[in-house]
């Protein structure tokens, strides 16, 4: 006889409810496996996006270079001699390296006293070129950044970081006011917006003056160093994926200007943020693959468990199956019921695991906020949900088809005789 959809699902739920504890334990195992996989992948994605955002606060596609040391005798590590980067080096990079989009030089000092008529403050004083704000990430909240006219005129103007403005002018507007740097007057022409997250205020406590003014009043200290020495040169490749070629060109220019072999890698003191971001991405991609594989294996084991309890259920309900077949139930009716039981056990437990992981990640996001430097709260990666649903579908079909086939193949006479 033909059964309605409601009758079929009613029988499915009654069969599951008749073995509540067994069904619950099996479903809990699958839900735990799915939830754990999604949560671990979510933590990894939070770390990945946090590192990407942290690097973006420095600047996009940035390679940083500082002065280094080179051997006095080639291929030997004795008698190392230092060299300082210069403003002329930065000009050479801009003019002679076609794979470099832009480069900026600056001087950084921590020993310059900063004082307003209200308070004093500490932090780095940066002697910067006008293009600093385009190479590095430096959004402005008020006023303007340094200009070419400030650079050529050696103007005594200053741009304050967000934290420095608060320290020097507590509760007062800073724009247009005067700041003393080692007793010299500098007019505030701009205030930067807050960058970064959490309590890391190093970037926000920097202040910026023209590099030409810095070279004149507060040059790099040391003996036998060029007059236009700078702390660092930072540049961007013309194309993000061609950073290796940009670095090669820069190495050749610096090596030629400072008389050493560009193939001596130890002579260059640099940090390629592009390479760092790619390396972090590869590490967490490998972790995602591993965790995804573990999750699929967990689901497969859960599917095996469901197949086992469904086979036990078929064995326990042999007489029921025989009686229903004797009364007119078709092979399709029997197979549909047992298939739906396996699919329902797998699907409900998997969706419960997804919902549990999503709820826990939402709670963590609310508790943590966005204040941790270099780490975002865990978040559900869409691809991981698709992976979980796909694996659940396959597991559910595997858990339903085989036991359903065993039940449907039972001969009604033999089934009734066994009882």
């Amino acid at each position: 006889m033909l059964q309605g959809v409601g009758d079929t699902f009613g029988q499915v739920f009654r069969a599951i409810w008749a073995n509540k504890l067994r069904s619950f334990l099996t479903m809990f195992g699958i839900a735990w496996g799915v939830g754990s996989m999604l949560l671990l992948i979510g933590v990894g994605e939070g770390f990945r996006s946090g590192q990407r955002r942290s690097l973006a606060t420095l600047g996009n596609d940035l390679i940083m270079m500082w002065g280094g040391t080179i051997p006095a005798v080639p291929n030997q590590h004795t008698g190392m001699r230092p060299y300082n980067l210069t403003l002329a080096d930065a000009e050479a990079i801009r003019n002679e390296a076609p794979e470099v989009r832009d480069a900026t030089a600056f001087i950084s000092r921590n020993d310059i006293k900063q004082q307003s008529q209200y308070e004093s403050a500490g932090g780095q004083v940066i002697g910067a070129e006008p293009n600093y704000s385009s190479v590095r990430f430096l959004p402005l909240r008020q006023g303007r950044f340094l200009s070419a006219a400030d650079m050529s005129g050696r103007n005594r103007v200053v741009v304050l970081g967000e934290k420095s403005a608060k320290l020097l002018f507590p509760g007062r507007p800073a724009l247009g006011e005067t700041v003393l740097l080692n007793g010299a007057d500098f007019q505030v022409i701009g205030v930067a917006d807050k960058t970064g997250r959490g309590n890391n205020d190093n970037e926000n406590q920097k202040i910026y003056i023209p590099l030409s003014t810095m070279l004149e009043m507060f040059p790099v200290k040391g003996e036998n160093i060029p007059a236009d020495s700078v702390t660092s040169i930072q540049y961007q490749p013309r194309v993000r994926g061609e950073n290796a070629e940009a670095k090669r060109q820069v190495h050749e220019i610096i090596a030629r200007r400072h008389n050493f072999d560009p193939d001596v890698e130890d002579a260059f003191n640099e940090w390629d943020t592009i390479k760092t971001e790619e390396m972090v991405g590869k590490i967490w991609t490998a972790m995602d693959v591993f965790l995804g594989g573990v999750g699929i294996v967990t689901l497969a084991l859960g599917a095996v468990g469901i197949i086992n309890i469904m086979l036990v259920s078929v064995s326990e309900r042999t007489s029921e199956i025989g009686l229903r077949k004797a009364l007119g139930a078709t092979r399709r009716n029997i197979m549909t019921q047992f298939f739906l039981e396996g699919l329902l056990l797998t699907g409900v437990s998997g969706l419960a695991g997804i919902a549990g992981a999503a709820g826990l990640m939402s709670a963590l996001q609310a508790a943590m906020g966005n204040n941790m430097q270099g780490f975002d709260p865990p978040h559900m990666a869409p691809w991981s949900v698709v992976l979980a649903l796909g694996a659940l579908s396959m597991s559910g079909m595997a858990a339903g088809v085989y036991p359903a086939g065993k039940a449907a193949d039972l001969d009604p006479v033999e089934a009734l005789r066994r009882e």
Side-chain angles (χ1 to χ4, degrees):
M1 64 179 180
L2 296 176
Q3 292 177 307
V5 175
D7 292 338
T8 302
F9 275 99
Q11 291 172 355
V12 168
F13 284 116
R14 285 194 295 272
I16 293 175
W17 187 253
N19 298 284
K20 296 184 289 294
L21 180 61
R22 188 168 65 191
S23 299
F24 170 77
L25 293 176
T26 303
M27 293 171 70
F28 178 79
I30 291 183
W32 181 267
V34 172
S36 299
M37 177 188 74
L38 293 177
L39 183 60
L40 290 172
I41 290 176
V43 171
E45 289 299 305
F47 184 84
R48 186 205 299 265
S49 63
Q51 288 294 305
R52 186 181 296 117
R53 186 180 303 200
S54 181
L55 290 173
T57 60
L58 298 175
N60 293 321
D61 308 341
L62 193 63
I63 302 173
M64 305 180 180
M65 175 178 283
W66 298 270
T69 56
I70 53 178
V73 179
N75 301 320
Q76 294 186 14
H77 292 279
T78 57
M80 303 291 284
R81 66 175 177 87
Y83 69 91
N84 289 78
L85 298 176
T86 66
L87 180 58
D89 291 335
E91 286 290 346
I93 291 172
R94 285 191 285 260
N95 295 329
E96 301 174 24
E99 291 302 321
V100 172
R101 182 165 74 243
D102 202 358
T104 191
F106 65 86
I107 294 174
S108 173
R109 288 187 55 172
N110 294 303
D111 57 348
I112 299 175
K113 184 178 180 181
Q114 308 165 28
Q115 192 166 10
S116 71
Q117 59 179 315
Y118 308 105
E119 296 288 347
S120 60
Q124 293 182 359
V125 177
I126 306 293
E129 295 185 278
N131 66 341
Y132 180 93
S133 61
S134 61
V135 176
R136 295 291 298 265
F137 179 73
L138 187 64
L140 287 183
R141 187 173 64 193
Q142 292 178 303
R144 64 175 180 86
F145 194 66
L146 308 171
S147 67
D150 296 325
M151 186 80 170
S152 60
R154 295 183 173 84
N155 295 345
R156 294 188 181 184
V157 292
V158 62
V159 176
L160 301 180
E162 183 263 351
K163 184 71 171 181
S164 293
K166 288 182 178 179
L167 293 174
L168 291 168
F169 301 95
R172 297 174 174 85
L175 205 62
E177 295 292 332
T178 298
V179 172
L180 299 179
L181 300 182
N182 281 0
D185 290 351
F186 282 75
Q187 183 185 17
V188 179
I189 60 170
V191 177
D193 207 350
K194 181 178 176 63
T195 60
R197 293 178 294 172
N199 298 320
N200 187 356
D201 280 325
N202 291 337
E203 291 294 319
N204 297 310
Q205 281 191 255
K206 292 178 178 179
I207 68 173
Y208 307 87
I209 67 174
L211 178 56
S212 55
T213 308
M214 190 82 162
L215 287 168
E216 181 180 55
M217 300 180 66
F218 315 113
V220 176
K221 295 180 178 179
E223 297 181 359
N224 300 321
I225 63 173
D228 63 342
S229 290
V230 296
T231 303
S232 176
I233 296 175
Q234 304 189 356
Y235 61 95
Q236 299 165 304
R238 184 179 60 83
V239 179
R240 177 183 174 85
E242 297 179 7
N243 54 314
E245 178 60 21
K247 285 169 64 176
R248 185 191 66 79
Q249 293 178 2
V250 170
H251 286 185
E252 289 182 352
I253 292 168
I254 297 299
R256 184 181 72 248
R257 294 179 58 83
H258 293 273
N259 300 314
F260 66 89
D261 187 349
D263 293 329
V264 181
E265 291 293 332
D266 292 342
F268 299 100
N269 181 18
E270 62 188 355
W271 178 28
D272 185 347
T273 65
I274 304 170
K275 187 175 181 180
T276 298
E277 183 179 337
E278 290 174 350
M279 181 179 66
V280 170
K282 288 178 180 178
I283 291 172
W284 285 104
T285 297
M287 287 297 295
D288 287 344
V289 171
F290 172 74
L291 294 173
V294 170
I296 291 174
V297 171
T298 302
L299 291 176
L301 293 175
V304 170
I306 290 180
I307 290 173
N308 284 332
I309 69 166
M310 291 299 296
L311 290 175
V312 171
S313 179
V314 170
S315 177
E316 292 175 344
R317 294 156 63 188
T318 298
S319 61
E320 174 197 331
I321 296 168
L323 182 59
R324 288 179 57 199
K325 280 197 165 187
L327 293 175
T330 64
R331 186 177 189 279
R332 181 178 180 181
N333 296 148
I334 302 298
M335 191 164 185
T336 299
Q337 179 184 341
F338 281 89
F339 176 76
L340 287 176
E341 284 184 31
L343 192 61
L344 189 65
L345 286 171
T346 307
V348 171
S349 55
L351 292 175
I354 293 174
L360 183 56
M361 281 189 261
S362 296
L364 288 173
Q365 288 173 0
M368 294 170 55
N370 288 312
N371 293 321
M372 295 184 67
Q373 187 72 18
F375 183 77
D376 283 344
H379 58 271
M380 188 80 76
W383 67 265
S384 65
V385 178
V386 173
L387 174 66
L389 290 174
L392 280 169
S393 300
M394 295 178 63
S395 300
M397 286 188 287
V401 169
Y402 181 66
K406 296 289 287 184
D409 289 338
L410 284 175
D411 181 80
V413 176
E414 289 296 324
L416 290 171
R417 183 182 298 168
R418 286 185 197 179
E419 188 63 21

